[in-house]
Amino acid sequence: MDTIASLFSFITWPVSWVIVQFHTVYGAIFGPDTGWAWGLSIVSLVILIRICLIPLFVKQIKATRGMQTLQPEMKKIQERYKNDKQRQSEEMMKLYKETGTNPLSSCLPILAQSPFFFALYHVLNGIASGDTIGAVNQDLLQSAQKAHIFGAPLASKFFSSESEVAALSASLTDVRVVTAIMIVLMSASQFFTQRQLMTKNVDTTVKTPFMQQQKMLMYVFPVMFAVFGVNFPVGVLVYWLTTNVWTMGQQMYVIRNNPTPGSKAQAAYLERLHKSVTEHGGTRGRGQKAIVKAIVAKGRDRNEAERKFINGLNKAGMAAQADGTVVKNDAAVAAQSADGSTETTAGQPKRQQPKRQSKSQRQAKPVGEAEPKTSLTKSDEPQDAKPADKQEAKPAAGAKKPAQKSGGGGRSKAQSGQRKGPQRPKSPSKK
């Protein structure tokens, strides 16, 4: 760890100078040799660094949103090469390269603050060994060695020897109890932050290598912090615990106000947005308008939560517009259906489909009502009732009737005394 920290010695002086400036402010309030002055100086250093990293965090959010827009293409690749994992990975990497996205973008904030972390470790390690580093002179070094946080010296470690702890005017039991509690809190906050991201702010409809990576980090990072935390000074544990708490709060804010499409967080957000829109009669603020505008622009590609939101507005007599606003839909504005088309108008009753009758109901003839005739029913009217121009001319008296073809549509009646059916020809009689 000392070797790695020495690689970032170029940033040691700026980090130590910032800590000294904060210590001057807090030392005037709590006393220069107190743990509160030095502990709050480290916490303020973390807050300052994270504020400077906000643009990088915004870039990370945009990159994550870009990954979400590729989910349909990723799903197609998975279905096309579901039996060839190697080809599937190659096509995924090709898609990332063509669109300019990076699945490792979630690690950018951690990588960016790593130099500050190792620089602080280098400073605190110098305090423990009695060496002046950067802006920490001899007087500040002695003041830092006297500072205790809940009975543990600022530069002590979990595996510090009893003689080293005694030289800092502390007991080994206090040091190990405080460091153990801080290590557990540090690992737990890291696990909760990553689990919150996986369970609430990830589109679970499509499984991608990005999701597998996040799931792996959810278990790997807490174990890493627990293993390496025993070698961190108390001041570094304060730094990293503050960083985890800041990250957790920042992520909770993003998940609540700008969730990932298709996630559980989006469904909860759209429920709150629907309630707010119906109470106030429209969207409020740029954030809500941006969300509604994005949902309207999707059309048929909306997910289940977004379709439910649009249908809920329609039922409430409101319609979402392309510019992100929501207007009341009393008479003329057509409400959008779940697939993006306009089918019904809010406030008007939907067309009711006729109920299907049973066979007995269809065959039953109402009393006093004539059965409707169709083109397939035979007419029972007498021949004389037909119009004159449609009556067939009757054959004149004495005229022979045309012979009927055998096997025709009408069957001739058998003469009296003869059997029905084909008759056997009679043999000529002998005279």
Side-chain angles (χ1 to χ4, degrees), residues 329-343:
N329 201 3
D330 295 332
V333 184
Q336 294 182 352
S337 62
D339 59 354
S341 61
T342 56
E343 293 181 352

Side-chain angles (χ1 to χ4, degrees), residues 14 42-44 64 86 93 114 178 181 202 204 235-236 248 263 280 287 314 317 324 328 347 367 371 375 410:
I42 296 174
V43 172
S44 300
T64 305
Q86 183 177 357
M93 293 297 115
S114 296
V178 172
I181 293 175
V202 172
T204 57
V236 175
M248 183 171 59
S263 62
H280 299 94
N314 294 339
K328 292 187 178 181
V367 180
E371 183 178 356
S375 60

Side-chain angles (χ1 to χ4, degrees), residues 357-368:
Q357 296 180 344
S358 61
K359 184 176 179 181
S360 59
Q361 291 176 342
R362 291 195 301 269
Q363 292 178 351
K365 181 178 179 181
V367 180

Side-chain angles (χ1 to χ4, degrees), residues 64-65 67-68 71 74 106 193-216 218 251 254-256 258-267 303:
T64 305
R65 293 293 182 267
M67 289 288 297
Q68 295 299 326
Q71 297 297 328
M74 293 179 182
S106 61
T193 301
Q194 201 68 25
R195 185 177 183 275
Q196 185 183 33
L197 179 66
M198 290 295 300
T199 57
K200 294 184 178 181
N201 204 38
V202 172
D203 187 1
T204 57
T205 59
V206 181
K207 295 182 179 180
T208 62
F210 174 75
M211 292 179 58
Q212 299 298 327
Q213 171 200 353
Q214 294 295 323
K215 187 176 181 180
M216 179 183 66
M218 181 174 65
Q251 182 174 277
V254 172
I255 291 176
R256 179 176 176 83
N258 192 15
T260 300
S263 62
K264 294 181 179 179
Q266 189 199 28
N303 55 46

